[in-house]
Amino acid sequence: MIELSQSREQFSLITESMSEGLIIADQKANILASNVSAYVLLEAKPSPETHTVFSLCHSEEYRRCIHNAMGGIRAECILNTENGDRKVIASPANSPDSVNGFVVFILDVTEQQKLETMRREFTSNVSHELKTPLTTIYGISDMLANGMVKSEDVSRFGTDIRNEADRLIALINDIVSLSKLDEDSVPKQFEEVDLYEIAEEVISRLSISAKEKNVTASLTGSHVKITGSRTVLEEIIYNLCDNAIKYNIDGGSYTVKISHIPTKAMITVSDTGTGIPAAHIDRIFERFYRIDKSRSRKIKGTGLGLSIVKHAVSYHGGKIRVRSTSEKGTAFLVELPITKKTDGQN
Ligand code: ADP
């Protein structure tokens, strides 16, 4: 009896510390043993009424799973509960010629399901975004090949093809940047970089598009150095400045400020542009999210810039915040760890 009680105690000690739910049942689905996680994950309460496996959840999928296990067949299903997604695995415990009972595992798969949905949406968005310019290119070149375009219109159609090809190249470049950041296996090749110098280079690279939009740029702050990836940091500043120009008003301005507090570097990119309505603030970092698609159509973009920025910031262990007032302007504040002191310059 002592041995039996010790082994029971040991069993419950092990199973109660598990975050996965575990239920052991006999061939009639009566619960022989279970842990707290099983009840928590299935959102059931232990009571005299919940003595069978069926009484813990009434979903059709779950019942089918349990019936299969009772019939000697291993079965799995996903349940969408109020608090998240659960994976239920029901496995028969067979002896050579009969089913003696079965074991049910319940896992919290909310995060995996979210990632899976994101991956699926991303693939379908990429295919859609690639198809649109390609369809236009195909249509125009078909007309050109069939001599359906008057000679005076050839140049206009040629420009349309080049614009659509530009869009394809921008999209592919953004997808490549994102997937590089997505691969956690890529070693972090960090070096000492001067954020002020990067900002200077970016502002100069963007000076033509700023001139076209009649937007003036200014750079303030100091030469703050951090340990990071030069190319990834360039992407952060480039994308933020590019947006500060694109979504600015004619004759507007934008400012990049590089500053620091003892352990953190701050990059602030503020503009005098159209601003971001409060309802959209939480969504602008999502892949392919563009506010007012019809309006943004006129402004070139892929909807991937800010998701690259967000990824690139967390790649450096930093944080990003947005402050925006409609019709007044927007400020993106990036906070990055400095990590290594250099010559007391930070
Ligand atoms: P896009 O390629 O469309 O610029 P982003 O991911 O960089 O994609 O930005 C997502 C959306 O957020 C943009 O389409 C735009 O509507 C909005 N946005 C981003 N930056 C700004 C800004 N500085 N001012 C106003 N709106 C902005």
Side-chain angles (χ1 to χ4, degrees), residues 14-66:
I14 295 168
T15 56
E16 287 311 322
S17 62
M18 287 165 57
S19 53
E20 296 84 9
L22 172 70
I23 306 168
I24 300 170
D26 66 13
Q27 65 270 46
K28 287 194 176 133
N30 291 311
I31 299 173
L32 300 177
S34 59
N35 66 355
V36 176
S37 296
Y39 287 87
V40 173
L41 291 171
L42 291 174
E43 291 165 16
K45 281 202 176 74
S47 77
E49 282 89 55
T50 53
H51 63 276
T52 74
V53 180
F54 288 110
S55 61
L56 299 185
C57 173
H58 300 291
S59 114
E60 202 47 51
E61 277 288 276
Y62 175 80
R63 297 179 78 81
R64 186 190 53 76
C65 232
I66 305 301

Side-chain angles (χ1 to χ4, degrees), residues 167-213:
R167 217 171 120 193
L168 275 177
I169 293 168
L171 193 68
I172 290 165
N173 283 341
D174 279 357
I175 293 169
V176 170
S177 299
L178 257 185
S179 59
K180 270 191 197 152
L181 288 166
D182 266 344
E183 287 164 28
D184 285 340
S185 54
V186 176
K188 289 191 176 179
Q189 277 160 352
F190 279 12
E191 56 185 312
E192 190 191 278
V193 264
D194 184 329
L195 294 175
Y196 194 90
E197 272 173 19
I198 294 184
E200 254 173 352
E201 284 163 27
V202 168
I203 289 173
S204 132
R205 264 164 69 199
L206 283 166
S207 59
I208 295 173
S209 47
K211 209 169 174 190
E212 276 168 8
K213 263 257 21 179

Side-chain angles (χ1 to χ4, degrees), residues 25-29 66-74 90-103:
D26 66 13
Q27 65 270 46
K28 287 194 176 133
I66 305 301
H67 273 302
N68 275 336
M70 288 169 79
I73 303 163
R74 185 185 186 277
S91 254
N94 292 342
S95 70
D97 45 18
S98 68
V99 179
N100 292 334
F102 58 94
V103 181

